Amino acid sequence: MPNAESPASAASAASAASDLSRLAASLVGPEPLNWVITGDSITHGLVHTQGGRSYPEHLHELIRGELGRTRDAVINTAISGHRLTDILGDWDRRVASWRPDIVTLMIGTNDMATGPGQVTVAPSDFAASLREFVTRARAAGAIVVLPTPPSIDIPNAPGRERIVEFADAVREVAASEDVILVDQHARFTELGNGGVPWGMMNDPFHPNAAGHAALALELANTLDICPQPDRDRTLPLLEARVMAARLNG
């Protein structure tokens, strides 16, 4: 992060509130930022958007386009099918080599999976790995953002019935480590009126293009990535896309 603090001192002083303040100051400052967005297939953003933009691509437009931060780098290192241990095991390529100022990690949909050929991960073990991720990223001086995985169609997603336990694990780690939380699971449940937001899903656990619009909006609102009114084209379009999907789902 472009400030006077060393990575070690920044990590020791980090909190969700201080991280949001640092981010707000950096967004109006002259120094370029490196954004690393990582996770699994939902963040990877292929296939299920059916040619539409994924949420990292919407963030790219907001940051480098509408905020005019053309020297920022927005890097998506998510890989379909991966679990958190895959990211920790490939840390240099997925996170460290990009020298991130901000890291977002939305993970858990594969970690929770059970069934033939799957290694069953306990929510407590997942939470321990998540804490290791936070510790490593903060030691490098990065602001950490933890979105919960969005809600899913549990009856039609066999092996992923533990979604609430894993969303709760993300919430628990965000609270105990004082990390910025983006509660996508709660937002998707709200958009689905307490259930599944059908108009935002391509299959039982992958959001479609409208779902990615919803993911991008929740991230942008939490991180206060809000362009000036005369440059704000993307957010109203995303809001309209989500509203239409909610009405037609």
Side-chain angles (χ1 to χ4, degrees):
M1 183 63 59
N3 56 33
E5 293 182 289
S6 69
S9 63
S12 64
S15 68
S18 66
D19 283 347
L20 285 169
S21 294
R22 288 173 63 203
L23 179 58
S26 296
L27 286 175
V28 296
E31 295 299 320
L33 302 173
N34 292 337
W35 303 69
V36 170
I37 303 170
T38 197
D40 52 32
S41 59
I42 297 173
T43 302
H44 198 166
L46 303 181
V47 180
H48 301 283
T49 56
Q50 298 177 325
R53 284 185 170 178
S54 64
Y55 81 84
E57 291 172 317
H58 290 307
L59 290 175
H60 177 273
E61 178 158 355
L62 284 167
I63 294 162
R64 299 189 69 232
E66 295 186 14
L67 292 186
R69 297 190 58 83
T70 54
R71 296 183 65 232
D72 281 18
V74 181
I75 301 147
N76 183 355
T77 69
I79 298 178
S80 297
H82 275 205
R83 294 182 173 196
L84 180 48
T85 50
D86 295 310
I87 298 173
L88 292 173
D90 192 21
W91 180 258
D92 187 60
R93 181 61 183 165
R94 302 290 289 276
V95 180
S97 65
W98 306 105
R99 300 178 63 189
D101 298 295
I102 303 97
V103 177
T104 79
L105 170 69
M106 185 164 67
I107 200 77
T109 304
N110 297 313
D111 304 76
M112 77 181 77
T114 59
Q118 298 282 1
V119 175
T120 300
V121 177
S124 58
D125 292 335
F126 173 74
S129 293
L130 201 53
R131 286 191 178 88
E132 181 180 348
F133 183 98
V134 171
T135 298
R136 289 192 197 184
R138 278 184 162 169
I143 287 172
V144 182
V145 181
L146 296 181
T148 55
S151 58
I152 65 176
D153 177 11
I154 293 176
N156 293 302
R160 287 179 164 85
E161 297 85 357
R162 300 185 297 161
I163 178 69
V164 173
E165 294 177 67
F166 279 72
D168 282 344
V170 176
R171 295 177 183 122
E172 174 200 341
V173 171
S176 64
E177 302 300 316
D178 207 356
V179 172
I180 299 169
L181 174 71
V182 183
D183 204 339
Q184 301 286 15
H185 187 275
R187 179 56 177 153
F188 264 54
T189 301
E190 179 186 10
L191 290 169
N193 296 315
V196 180
W198 300 110
M200 294 173 215
M201 305 299 291
N202 186 60
D203 69 12
F205 54 91
H206 288 100
N208 60 17
H212 276 263
L215 293 171
L217 276 171
E218 196 67 11
L219 259 173
N221 288 333
T222 301
L223 301 182
D224 199 24
I225 303 174
C226 298
Q228 295 298 314
D230 62 337
R231 302 188 69 176
D232 187 2
R233 303 175 303 275
T234 298
L235 292 179
L237 290 172
L238 296 180
E239 289 165 355
R241 185 77 183 265
V242 170
M243 181 60 68
R246 190 176 188 184
L247 291 172
N248 297 324

